[in-house]
């Protein structure tokens, strides 16, 4: 540790730290533009000049290492004068367009110009102009004349997103940040460039000219998409979601958001929203009131139960639903006497699991891994923020290995990639055999283990201390999912690696926890959707045509199909549509991949006659005479489930126990995996996301393959 004196205060920091780090520890603010705590040091804006004793000139705080006994003054006349000179220089070419700038009110340059700028400029020459650039549907580069060349966006692309989509060309006053080849910005993390831009050069294209920052209310929420559980700040005006920004949480999403989390809000006020209950009569849809709709559903379910028994009724629930909704759906079905409920819509195998399948480690630990084996995942597109953390680990020397059905560009170095394997289980069995050979023990299955790739993966997993085996969405949906898990667990037990699923949706872990899947021999999602046999089906926040492996052909013989959705969905197969609130209009809880329980409140009032799904399920249960469902608030439901826990209890966070392993070689179908902007109903209906290169790409790469 090194001790320095900062503005008369003694500060102790680690050797190798910069003056800026010492100032942060001491709570002293030093003005800056190019410095960002998550990016490398560039030292090119010079706004952070400070007075260092015995130094011949002011020094940049972000790039000046601390030394024992160093004396630093951040507010001396010498430091202030230097900072004022830099501000004058930065404003030479900056356009005077604060009144029309989208960044107005939250602009670092604007804020610092008040404290360090002059009231007038000494420069009368013409200001430079940078031409507009169209770089896609999410990020606007229409005002790059404002750019001060801090290069935060360039470094973000290189270091965090893993793709250098922006760069600086030319020199002097002709310098500009551009895509160079005139391409679009296509990274799945591109929206973060907007956040880190300290001026109004990069702005949000969907939000552009929609509202001023001081007009917006800021409310906390949690992303309903992938299993990261990214923390959000939802900005609201006139009961309408206007923008979504990251809420910093180092343990979950740090200060980043995936574009899926940031721009999906555009669907919340789309024309596809369902705002009143609807009944299909004589092949025509008509709007009705809630009482009529709920009584129609309740009477229909009671009649079907009386005629065909409770086992003729089933529910398919989305793992993007809240914990409260999943719990009440399970209670409703079992109260009716049916165990036909499932959230595993895209699965091909439905083997019972002993405990909850989860990440197997903490999200934050992904950044510190020394070796990782990923099985059946397009990591970068399925889980952008997990991929970002593993990408940071590779910068520290982590070796990444993959077993997949095809080659994917993860924007990070991959040491070994087993692609187009005849059988994933065979490829994993080869790795297990190589581990056994290295340790001199018996392999779990008989296999040659002669290939070099398996041996390299085995050696990497046997070395180091921090390692993980992660099964992706395609591995979870695989027809041999239980074999893959058992082999992965054997390898993990022998190498000391954690083993877990990346998990597909916001509440995949929560759905397992509240038992939103068959427990006593009920029909699973595959049986309900493919084999048929149901006379009544409840589709809660799900669209089988997009969300299931089997489609909806098994519902053709149903007498009643009821869809609970925020959107006009399943209109071709449904008899009743009930408008339920999306995450922005209801309180609820999501459980992320690591088992973290995160609750949130509604940020806007429900649109039209929309009602929170937990209330709809409760009222429906009351009409059907299901006991024990007299909840008054969503918090009461959560209290019953969690009993004050902040994490899913450790005793149930166990992956399936080791099962007898056999490597089966019969041909099977390709695992069904949602593409990046097809994951759920909200994402599917966001116009800016559907205009991206990822969404437009014909035949976009999907996880899995012939396995």
């Amino acid at each position: 540790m090194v001790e320095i004196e900062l503005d008369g205060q003694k500060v102790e920091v680690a050797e190798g730290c910069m003056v800026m780090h010492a100032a942060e520890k001491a709570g002293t603010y030093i003005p800056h533009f190019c410095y960002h705590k998550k990016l490398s040091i560039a030292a090119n804006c010079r706004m952070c000049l400070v007075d260092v004793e015995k130094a011949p000139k002011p020094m940049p705080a972000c790039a000046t290492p601390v030394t024992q006994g160093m004396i630093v003054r951040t507010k001396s006349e010498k430091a202030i004068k230097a900072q004022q000179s830099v501000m004058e220089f930065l404003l030479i070419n900056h356009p005077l367009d604060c009144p029309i700038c989208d960044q107005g009110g939250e602009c670092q340059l604007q804020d610092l110009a008040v404290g360090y700028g002059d009231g007038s400029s000494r420069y009368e020459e013409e200001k430079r102009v940078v031409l507009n650039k169209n770089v896609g549907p999410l990020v606007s580069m229409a005002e790059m004349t404002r750019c001060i060349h801090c290069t935060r966006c360039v470094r973000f692309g290189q270091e965090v997103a893993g793709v250098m989509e922006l760069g600086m060309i030319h020199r002097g006053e002709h310098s500009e940040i551009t895509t160079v080849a005139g391409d679009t910005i296509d990274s799945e993390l591109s929206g973060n460039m907007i956040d880190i831009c300290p001026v109004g050069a990069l702005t949000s294209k969907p939000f552009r000219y929609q509202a001023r920052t001081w007009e917006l209310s800021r409310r906390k929420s949690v992303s309903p998409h992938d299993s990261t559980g990214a923390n959000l700040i939802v900005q609201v005006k006139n009961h309408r979601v206007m923008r979504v920004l990251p809420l910093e949480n180092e343990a979950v999403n740090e200060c980043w958001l995936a574009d899926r989390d940031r721009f999906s809000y555009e669907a919340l006020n789309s024309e596809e929203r369902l705002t009143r209950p609807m009944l299909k009569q004589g092949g025509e849809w008509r709007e009705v009131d809630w009482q009529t709709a709920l009584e129609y559903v309740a009477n229909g379910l009671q009649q079907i139960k009386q005629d065909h028994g409770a086992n003729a009724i089933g529910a398919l629930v989305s793992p993007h639903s809240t914990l409260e909704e999943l719990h009440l759906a399970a209670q409703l079905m079992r109260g009716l006497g049916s165990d036909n409920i499932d959230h595993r819509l895209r699965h091909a195998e439905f083997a019972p699991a002993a405990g909850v399948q989860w990440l197997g480690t903490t999200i934050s630990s992904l950044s510190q891994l020394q070796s990782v084996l990923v099985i059946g995942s397009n990591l970068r597109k399925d889980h952008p923020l997990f991929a970002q953390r593993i990408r940071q680990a590779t910068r520290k020397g982590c070796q990444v290995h993959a077993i997949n059905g095809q080659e994917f560009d993860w924007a990070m170095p991959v040491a070994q990639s087993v692609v187009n394997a005849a059988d994933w289980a065979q490829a994993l069995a080869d790795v297990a055999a190589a581990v056994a050979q290295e340790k001199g023990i018996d392999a779990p299955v008989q296999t040659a283990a002669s290939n070099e790739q398996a041996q390299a993966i085995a050696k990497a997993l046997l070395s180091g201390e921090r390692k993980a085996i992660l099964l992706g969405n395609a591995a979870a949906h695989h027809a041999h999912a239980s074999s893959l898990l058992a082999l992965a667990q054997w390898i993990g037990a022998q190498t000391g690696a954690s083993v877990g699923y990346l998990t597909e949706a916001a509440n995949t872990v929560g759905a397992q926890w509240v038992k939103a899947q068959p427990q006593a021999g009920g029909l699973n999602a595959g049986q309900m959707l493919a084999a048929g046999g149901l006379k009544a089906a409840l589709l809660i926040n799900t669209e089988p045509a997009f969300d299931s492996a089997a489609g909806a052909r098994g519902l053709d013989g149903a007498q009643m199909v009821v869809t609970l959705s925020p959107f006009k969905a399943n209109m071709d197969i449904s008899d009743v549509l009930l408008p339920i609130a999306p995450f922005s209009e209801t309180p609820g809880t999501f459980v992320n991949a690591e088992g973290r329980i995160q609750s949130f409140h509604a940020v806007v009032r429900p649109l039209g006659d929309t009602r929170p799904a937990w209330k709809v399920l409760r009222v429906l249960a009351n009409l059907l005479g299901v006991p024990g469902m007299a909840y008054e608030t969503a918090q009461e439901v959560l209290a019953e489930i969690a009993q004050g826990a902040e994490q899913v209890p450790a005793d149930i966070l166990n992956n399936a126990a080791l099962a007898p392993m056999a490597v089966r070689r019969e041909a099977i179908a390709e695992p069904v995996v949602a593409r990046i902007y097809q994951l759920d109903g909200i994402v599917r209906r966001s116009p800016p996301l559907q205009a991206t290169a990822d969404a437009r790409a014909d035949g976009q790469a999907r996880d899995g393959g012939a396995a």
Side-chain angles (χ1 to χ4, degrees):
M1 298 296 285
V2 174
E3 186 179 80
I4 71 168
E5 182 181 308
L6 184 78
D7 292 338
Q9 177 184 356
K10 299 291 185 182
V11 184
E12 195 174 57
V13 292
E15 189 173 356
C17 287
M18 304 297 162
V19 171
M20 183 70 81
H21 301 140
E24 287 178 343
K25 185 174 182 180
T28 299
Y29 178 74
I30 297 176
H32 60 273
F33 294 114
C34 69
Y35 172 77
H36 190 281
K37 63 183 179 181
K38 295 291 184 180
L39 303 176
S40 62
I41 292 170
N44 53 13
C45 78
R46 317 308 281 186
M47 190 64 208
C48 64
L49 292 175
V50 293
D51 180 7
V52 178
E53 192 168 278
K54 297 183 181 179
K57 58 182 180 180
M59 304 293 288
C62 68
T64 303
V66 295
T67 58
Q68 184 63 37
M70 175 186 278
I71 299 175
V72 180
R73 301 179 183 88
T74 68
K75 297 177 176 61
S76 68
E77 182 180 355
K78 183 178 179 181
I80 297 296
K81 189 173 181 180
Q83 292 162 359
Q84 289 173 338
S85 297
V86 170
M87 176 58 70
E88 183 179 24
F89 175 76
L90 291 175
L91 293 176
I92 289 173
N93 277 307
H94 196 77
L96 301 177
D97 62 351
C98 288
I100 63 161
C101 178
D102 249 20
Q103 198 91 334
E106 52 186 5
C107 172
Q108 261 183 277
L109 183 66
Q110 190 179 56
D111 293 342
L112 292 178
V114 173
Y116 297 90
D118 204 344
S120 60
S121 174
R122 291 183 289 172
Y123 293 87
E124 298 178 355
E125 290 78 10
E126 289 185 4
K127 293 178 180 286
R128 74 187 190 118
V129 175
V130 179
L131 297 179
N132 297 357
K133 302 173 180 66
N134 182 6
V135 293
L138 305 181
V139 180
S140 171
M141 293 182 74
E143 282 94 13
M144 288 304 290
T145 302
R146 300 170 185 161
C147 179
I148 62 170
H149 305 138
C150 70
T151 69
R152 279 186 178 183
C153 55
V154 177
R155 285 175 285 146
F156 172 83
Q158 286 177 297
E159 300 164 15
V160 181
V163 183
M164 186 178 172
E165 295 179 298
L166 294 177
M168 186 183 291
I169 60 172
H170 306 313
R171 301 189 68 178
E173 70 169 5
H174 301 294
S175 298
E176 60 177 292
I177 302 292
T178 178
T179 55
V180 182
D183 298 326
T184 54
I185 297 175
D186 298 325
S187 166
E188 63 284 350
L189 299 172
S190 64
N192 294 292
M193 295 179 181
I194 300 166
D195 292 342
I196 63 176
C197 180
V199 296
L202 300 178
T203 54
S204 168
K205 191 169 281 189
F207 176 69
R208 193 171 159 78
Y209 301 136
Q210 296 299 305
R212 288 296 196 177
T213 182
W214 54 83
E215 300 174 320
L216 302 173
S217 300
R218 292 162 177 78
R219 293 156 192 178
K220 298 178 183 179
S221 192
V222 179
S223 171
H225 306 307
D226 66 33
S227 60
T228 308
N231 290 198
L232 311 176
I233 294 175
V234 181
Q235 298 189 326
V236 175
K237 179 183 178 183
N238 296 332
H239 299 286
R240 184 185 177 101
V241 175
M242 303 300 293
R243 183 167 62 167
V244 172
L245 298 174
L247 174 62
E248 186 169 349
N249 186 335
E250 280 297 312
V252 181
N253 57 298
E254 300 176 86
C255 57
W256 311 123
L257 277 187
D259 289 349
R260 185 163 55 193
D261 304 323
R262 183 185 299 272
F263 296 108
S264 65
Y265 74 89
E266 284 284 297
L268 298 176
N269 297 292
S270 72
E271 292 183 358
E272 291 191 59
R273 279 295 302 271
L274 178 66
T275 57
R276 292 200 67 193
M278 299 180 76
L279 296 181
K280 185 189 287 184
Q281 295 184 334
E284 297 291 328
W285 285 101
R286 69 181 185 93
E287 294 183 345
V288 296
D289 58 69
W290 271 104
Q291 187 71 21
T292 301
L294 289 172
E295 287 181 356
Y296 181 89
V297 173
N299 292 336
L301 292 177
Q302 285 174 330
Q303 188 64 49
I304 289 169
K305 180 180 177 181
Q306 181 178 331
D307 294 344
H308 303 282
N311 287 332
I313 304 172
L316 293 157
V317 292
S318 168
H320 299 277
S321 301
T322 67
L323 195 66
E324 294 81 357
E325 293 162 6
L326 292 161
H327 177 66
L328 292 181
Q331 271 195 307
L332 173 62
M333 294 309 299
R334 295 189 175 109
L336 288 171
S338 172
D339 192 40
N340 303 334
I341 180 169
D342 210 347
H343 71 279
R344 300 167 295 176
L345 305 175
R346 295 188 177 98
H347 284 224
E349 184 190 75
F350 298 90
V356 174
Q357 296 177 349
W358 65 300
L359 187 62
T361 184
T362 62
I363 292 174
S364 60
S365 69
L366 298 179
S367 305
Q368 306 300 324
L369 291 174
Q370 295 171 319
S371 182
V372 58
L373 171 60
V374 181
I375 305 157
S377 176
N378 185 358
L379 184 63
R380 177 181 166 192
K381 302 299 182 181
D382 291 348
H383 301 91
L385 294 177
F386 290 170
Q388 182 275 134
R389 283 191 179 269
I390 294 175
R391 191 173 296 121
Q392 302 316 306
T394 63
R395 293 170 63 83
K396 304 168 192 171
C398 174
Q399 288 192 25
V400 178
H401 310 273
I403 295 176
N404 261 322
Q406 64 187 89
E407 193 78 57
F408 294 115
D409 177 12
W410 289 352
M412 69 178 83
V414 178
Q416 299 292 331
S417 183
V418 181
V419 179
N420 293 324
D423 189 323
W424 290 3
Q426 180 65 58
L428 203 53
D430 289 346
V431 175
V435 169
Q437 187 177 26
E438 289 284 329
K439 297 189 70 174
I441 58 177
D442 292 334
V445 292
Q446 295 301 314
T447 182
S450 58
N451 69 79
E452 294 180 1
Q453 286 181 313
Q455 292 169 3
I457 294 171
K459 287 178 181 177
L461 290 174
L462 284 165
S463 63
E465 297 178 357
R466 301 184 299 275
K467 44 213 172 180
I469 300 171
L470 302 173
L471 294 100
N473 297 351
H477 303 166
H478 200 279
H480 296 166
S482 58
S483 295
L484 293 174
L485 176 58
L487 284 164
Q489 288 190 307
W490 187 90
I491 296 169
Q494 297 302 320
T495 62
S498 65
V499 179
Y501 281 95
L502 292 163
T503 71
E504 180 181 42
N507 233 351
T508 302
V509 172
Q512 298 171 77
W513 183 28
V514 298
K515 298 181 173 56
Q517 59 194 59
Q519 300 294 305
L523 299 178
N524 59 50
Q527 293 168 327
M528 285 188 271
L529 286 168
L534 290 184
K535 296 301 180 181
L538 297 179
L539 306 179
I540 302 172
N541 207 22
T542 184
E543 299 169 77
F546 299 99
D547 295 333
S548 77
R553 64 180 183 273
L555 301 178
D556 292 342
Q559 297 176 16
M560 174 182 280
V561 176
V562 182
T563 291
L564 288 76
S565 173
F567 303 101
K568 295 173 182 175
N570 304 326
M571 297 187 78
D572 56 331
I573 60 173
S574 298
D575 301 291
V576 186
L577 298 181
L578 302 179
I580 60 171
F583 79 103
S584 57
E585 299 169 17
T586 180
T589 303
F590 292 133
V591 182
N592 70 2
E594 67 178 359
R596 183 183 296 266
I597 301 169
Q598 300 187 108
S599 294
F600 53 91
H601 296 288
V603 298
V604 292
R605 65 189 178 198
L607 187 65
D609 285 343
T610 298
R611 296 289 182 270
W614 71 268
K615 285 188 177 181
V616 176
L617 292 167
R618 182 204 64 191
V619 173
L620 193 56
N622 294 341
L623 290 173
L624 289 165
V626 175
M629 292 183 67
Y631 305 104
E632 293 294 326
T633 65
Q635 287 74 24
E636 286 183 26
V637 184
L638 178 63
E640 179 177 286
I641 301 166
Q643 298 180 345
E646 295 181 0
Q647 203 89 2
V648 175
D651 59 340
I652 66 168
L653 278 179
N654 298 308
N655 285 315
L658 288 173
M661 284 172 270
V663 180
R664 293 171 285 177
R665 294 181 174 80
E666 68 271 19
I668 59 171
E670 179 182 346
V672 177
V673 179
R675 293 177 289 174
I676 182 170
Y677 298 133
Q678 292 292 320
L679 183 62
D680 59 75
I682 298 176
V683 168
R684 286 193 288 268
R685 291 172 173 84
S686 171
L689 291 180
Q690 294 310 313
T692 60
D694 274 330
R696 295 194 316 267
D698 183 37
Q700 162 144 2
R702 295 168 61 185
D703 278 353

